[in-house]
Amino acid sequence: QVQLVESGGGLVQAGGSLRLSCAASGSIFSINYMGWYRQAPGKQRELVATITTAGSTNYVNSVKGRFAISRDNSKNMVYLQMNSLKPEDTAVYYCKIVVAGLRAYWGQGTQVTVSS
């Protein structure tokens, strides 16, 4: 009953910025954490960033200092601000939410392409 709707993906030049948004709706009683993952061609899906309700964040080393995850608890939305984008950031980015009971829900994915 939980749905995630993503937006904000697109094509940008190296050094540019992009902001991804993810809205969660449905029977959400309690959110443990939300996050962003990505999967580049030929690679496994990897964690990019997570954020708890309290605001605690974690990032993969490759994006530290460039990406920032944030959350609007009242709207059940999570964002990923991506700055200083590099071609290696090119991937399909997925929104993830883990609710009470540790059940995970995924968005459909949004393509981010960074040109050199």
Side-chain angles (χ1 to χ4, degrees), residues 16-18 20 35-40 43 46-51 57-70 79-93 112 114:
S17 298
L18 202 63
L20 304 182
W36 290 93
Y37 293 70
R38 67 185 181 186
Q39 187 168 22
K43 297 183 178 180
E46 67 171 351
L47 181 148
V48 178
T50 60
I51 185 168
T57 59
N58 285 288
Y59 299 90
V60 66
N61 287 335
S62 61
V63 307
K64 289 182 178 179
R66 299 188 299 117
F67 290 10
I69 187 171
S70 61
Y79 309 90
L80 185 66
Q81 179 66 46
M82 303 183 291
N83 299 321
S84 301
L85 284 164
K86 304 175 181 179
E88 50 262 44
D89 293 319
T90 296
V92 177
Y93 284 71
V112 172
V114 184

Side-chain angles (χ1 to χ4, degrees), residues 30-34 51-54 69-74 76-79 97:
S30 181
I31 298 175
N32 292 109
Y33 68 90
M34 302 180 75
I51 185 168
T52 67
T53 303
I69 187 171
S70 61
R71 177 178 177 178
D72 185 335
N73 291 334
S74 65
N76 290 328
M77 296 190 69
V78 63
Y79 309 90
I97 178 174

Side-chain angles (χ1 to χ4, degrees), residues 8-14 17-18 85 90 111-116:
L11 174 64
V12 298
Q13 294 183 344
S17 298
L18 202 63
L85 284 164
T90 296
Q111 178 69 49
V112 172
T113 302
V114 184
S115 62
S116 59

